[in-house]
Amino acid sequence: MELDAKIGVLNNAGGSSEVSLNGIKVVCGINGPMEARPRQELPTTCYLEVIIRPAIGNPTVREKYMEDKIKNFLNSVIIGNLYPRQVIQVNLQILEKKNNNSSYTSDSDESAATEDVLLELNCCINSAFLALVDANISIYKAFNSNIFTYTHKGSLVKDGLSEAKSRHLVVYGIKNNKVDELLYGENVGRFSEKKLFMALERGEKESMILHSKLKELSVESVKQKFVYLS
Amino acid sequence: MVKLAGLSLNEQEFLTDSLKQGIRSDGRSLDQFRDVEITLGDQPGYVDVRLGKTRVAVRVSGSITKPYEDRPFEGIFTISTEIGPIAGAFFENGRPSDEEVLVSRLIEKAIKRSGALDVEGLCIVAGDKCWNIRADIHFMDFDGGFIDASCIGVITALQHFSRPEVTVSGEQVVVYSTDEREPVKLSILHVPICVTFALFNPKEKEENIKGGADGNEEAGEFAIVDATMKEEGLSNGTLTITMNKNKEICQISKSGGLPAEGLMVMDCANKAYGIVEKLTDQIKEVLKQ
């Protein structure tokens, strides 16, 4: 499904974005860099706080897991030594999630919930990138996330279908308009090594396509905020 | 709410002085409610409410559980209100401040305790199975009026939501998917709307404690409708009135300690009715689409 994104949707947050992708809608708001509480303070770098809130119910271990994953790779992207002893807070609120029967949940739906982790992570990561740009936080490289699915027939398709043999989340860093390195990958299901490499290769191409889209959006946001003399 | 976040003394004085003269910083009159923008989501039960710069998203969902033992004939209705730092860095994660507790209790009182949702209609098998309707309020942007916005959001989402059809045959309960059978709307008994007034005392601080009306002196307190974050921070108290279109007051709550004259409260209630009428019509209009 097509990515639909807006930048600067919130007023109180330092930077914000709203992204709809694969039937999931996420709002990301970034606060900071701001003063850290003594407990969080790191002398040479910034403390990153990632908070994910689900659409329905209270945050559980599932959200904590996603927070940890996002935090780990964001730490390698944000130029932390520019913000020593400060905290950057990344808030992700999941608003809508399209299931077949999302308004009705029962306990047996939990296996489906773990499947959705990849889809949610995918949307969260792209939204976090746009919000970071909006918040003017220095990063080493741009990044974006794509999701690929191997269907039961063995063909590789972009975006998460509900019926899948395996699913692959691929996050590439992009530097100087070129794919720089693989920042983060997450795979669910049964697949061979060869298939994984094929998915990664496809990810490289797709991530450049997505990057040009995100870049267009972020250029627009920067233009609105700063006036450059030509 | 958030006490004077980043307001300088000059600005505080300027704002209160202009309010005394009946001028607000955003150009509204003292008894004008901000424009409300209600957006319905693709899925039933998802509503996005914007009240000026304040933004609240409400998600209503349902599941089947066992009813409370002391209320076997009733379904369960819960409202979850947790304000996260996405609404503003001054809200701390996982540690609700006193004001946040007040917000959630007020919403609970306004909607749940006023009986807006017919919980008896949520019963499937008495004492064994019932619907658990849950409203999650996501606060996203704060510029005053959280109570008013979330009340509008919850009541709209409840009307927008529909639960799957259920049939009971003997011991068995069958839940039909939305494709099989038309989902059922919840039964809403009335539509309560909250209107919050911010109270100001134009005179000395002592008067807050003593009360000014000692016969020959006029009290002079005044109320403004739908305060923004700055106005809320400056105010000496708030008055929240919950009403429905039948001119019934469901709930009234005054906090902040500023004594208010009875007549002023009456006046506020009258003003609130006008706003409630307008908002109820707007909600109806939105839901028609």
Side-chain angles (χ1 to χ4, degrees):
Chain A
M1 235 180 271
E2 274 302 293
L3 173 120
D4 182 20
K6 272 180 256 164
I7 292 189
V9 287
L10 306 178
N11 299 293
N12 278 333
S16 58
S17 69
E18 188 174 324
V19 171
S20 321
L21 190 61
N22 288 324
I24 291 172
K25 192 161 149 195
V26 169
V27 168
C28 179
I30 289 182
N31 291 320
M34 58 190 179
E35 200 186 342
R37 268 178 262 146
R39 191 164 46 85
Q40 300 172 327
E41 209 173 81
L42 300 170
T44 56
T45 183
C46 71
Y47 180 83
L48 202 60
E49 195 178 2
V50 180
I51 300 161
I52 298 182
R53 277 163 190 268
I56 296 170
N58 294 325
T60 57
V61 271
R62 181 170 170 274
E63 276 70 34
K64 264 272 159 303
Y65 171 81
M66 284 161 60
E67 282 173 11
D68 250 28
K69 291 286 177 194
I70 291 183
K71 191 176 152 181
N72 274 340
F73 98 86
L74 276 186
N75 259 327
S76 68
V77 171
I78 292 173
I79 310 179
N81 53 20
L82 287 178
Y83 315 105
R85 282 184 276 158
Q86 282 170 310
V87 62
I88 293 172
Q89 202 175 43
V90 180
N91 297 290
L92 291 150
Q93 172 73 61
I94 293 154
L95 287 180
E96 273 187 282
K97 210 165 87 180
K98 228 167 263 171
N99 295 2
N100 303 333
N101 237 341
S102 69
S103 53
Y104 166 68
T105 50
S106 71
D107 299 335
S108 61
D109 283 356
E110 258 173 37
S111 60
T114 39
E115 286 256 304
D116 286 347
V117 167
L118 286 198
L119 289 175
E120 277 176 36
L121 271 173
N122 184 36
C123 201
C124 285
I125 290 168
N126 286 326
S127 153
F129 169 67
L130 290 173
L132 277 172
V133 173
D134 191 37
N136 303 323
I137 288 170
S138 306
I139 44 180
Y140 287 112
K141 56 196 94 179
F143 58 90
N144 61 52
S145 156
N146 275 300
I147 198 157
F148 299 99
T149 302
Y150 277 107
T151 58
H152 285 295
K153 282 175 188 159
S155 56
L156 180 66
V157 283
K158 204 185 140 204
D159 297 339
L161 289 165
S162 48
E163 289 287 314
K165 209 170 176 195
S166 68
R167 262 189 231 180
H168 309 269
L169 176 89
V170 184
V171 183
Y172 274 104
I174 291 160
K175 214 171 178 177
N176 298 327
N177 247 338
K178 261 187 227 136
V179 170
D180 185 51
E181 60 174 337
L182 181 66
L183 285 172
Y184 171 50
E186 184 91 25
N187 310 284
V188 173
R190 229 180 121 110
F191 53 90
S192 63
E193 191 184 11
K194 199 179 148 207
K195 280 195 164 169
L196 173 64
F197 284 137
M198 267 161 63
L200 289 177
E201 220 166 273
R202 174 92 186 271
E204 253 181 72
K205 278 184 217 140
E206 292 290 347
S207 111
M208 279 314 292
I209 297 170
L210 185 58
H211 176 64
S212 62
K213 250 191 224 168
L214 297 180
K215 199 170 151 191
E216 242 174 71
L217 277 162
S218 34
V219 164
E220 204 46 52
S221 127
V222 172
K223 259 190 195 164
Q224 279 172 4
K225 269 192 281 177
F226 299 99
V227 180
Y228 289 111
L229 296 173
S230 56
Chain B
M1 188 101 235
V2 183
K3 280 293 167 221
L4 313 172
L7 270 192
S8 66
L9 281 175
N10 280 336
E11 201 175 354
Q12 287 179 31
E13 212 167 287
F14 173 75
L15 283 172
T16 26
D17 272 353
S18 44
L19 279 176
K20 276 180 212 168
Q21 295 167 32
I23 300 166
R24 291 172 88 165
S25 55
D26 51 4
R28 283 185 289 156
S29 62
L30 292 188
D31 50 5
Q32 193 183 347
F33 208 76
R34 279 176 285 184
D35 282 337
V36 183
E37 196 186 308
I38 306 172
T39 325
L40 302 179
D42 305 329
Q43 294 169 320
Y46 176 75
V47 172
D48 198 321
V49 178
R50 274 167 229 240
L51 179 67
K53 280 181 181 166
T54 298
R55 186 173 170 196
V56 170
V58 180
R59 186 81 171 80
V60 170
S61 55
S63 59
I64 295 177
T65 46
K66 208 178 152 95
Y68 294 129
E69 270 179 22
D70 51 338
R71 293 171 192 277
F73 302 106
E74 284 178 13
I76 300 169
F77 176 41
T78 42
I79 303 174
S80 116
T81 42
E82 212 177 311
I83 309 180
I86 195 167
F90 31 80
F91 297 107
E92 273 183 57
N93 192 30
R95 231 192 290 167
S97 60
D98 291 349
E99 287 90 349
E100 280 177 60
V101 176
L102 189 78
V103 169
S104 52
R105 295 197 68 158
L106 265 179
I107 296 165
E108 191 123 313
K109 228 161 94 182
I111 296 175
K112 206 169 143 186
R113 305 244 318 261
S114 78
L117 179 69
D118 173 27
V119 279
E120 281 178 9
L122 298 174
C123 178
I124 302 167
V125 180
D128 192 28
K129 281 187 178 65
C130 71
W131 282 100
N132 178 4
I133 300 295
R134 184 187 169 97
D136 287 281
I137 309 178
H138 305 309
F139 299 94
M140 287 196 285
D141 219 342
F142 176 62
D143 191 21
F146 257 172
I147 296 171
D148 302 9
S150 31
C151 187
I152 295 169
V154 171
I155 203 71
T156 316
L158 281 175
Q159 291 176 81
H160 187 227
F161 178 74
S162 47
R163 59 172 175 83
E165 166 91 286
V166 172
T167 53
V168 184
S169 54
E171 286 281 286
Q172 275 213 313
V173 175
V174 185
V175 182
Y176 294 95
S177 79
T178 41
D179 312 322
E180 267 179 292
R181 282 205 193 173
E182 192 69 16
V184 195
K185 290 269 176 212
L186 301 174
S187 77
I188 307 291
L189 302 175
H190 67 126
V191 180
I193 303 280
C194 293
V195 180
T196 302
F197 297 85
L199 307 177
F200 285 88
N201 174 23
K203 289 177 192 163
E204 292 299 306
K205 276 208 180 98
E206 291 166 29
E207 214 183 288
N208 292 357
I209 311 153
K210 285 198 297 194
D214 46 353
N216 47 13
E217 204 185 347
E218 226 177 277
E221 290 102 12
F222 61 95
I224 61 167
V225 173
D226 185 23
T228 61
M229 175 169 67
K230 284 179 183 171
E231 288 164 344
E232 226 169 67
L234 285 170
S235 71
N236 306 100
T238 58
L239 174 70
T240 303
I241 300 177
T242 311
M243 255 190 178
N244 59 22
K245 221 186 159 183
N246 310 331
K247 247 187 175 177
E248 293 162 337
I249 292 183
C250 311
Q251 180 263 130
I252 191 162
S253 147
K254 191 180 143 298
S255 60
L258 182 74
E261 264 188 86
L263 269 178
M264 194 182 82
V265 178
M266 280 298 290
D267 186 41
C268 284
N270 271 325
K271 278 179 192 163
Y273 178 65
I275 295 164
V276 168
E277 207 174 18
K278 222 179 92 191
L279 285 175
T280 318
D281 289 341
Q282 191 187 345
I283 292 174
K284 222 184 235 171
E285 204 56 43
V286 170
L287 284 168
K288 253 186 212 166
Q289 293 160 11

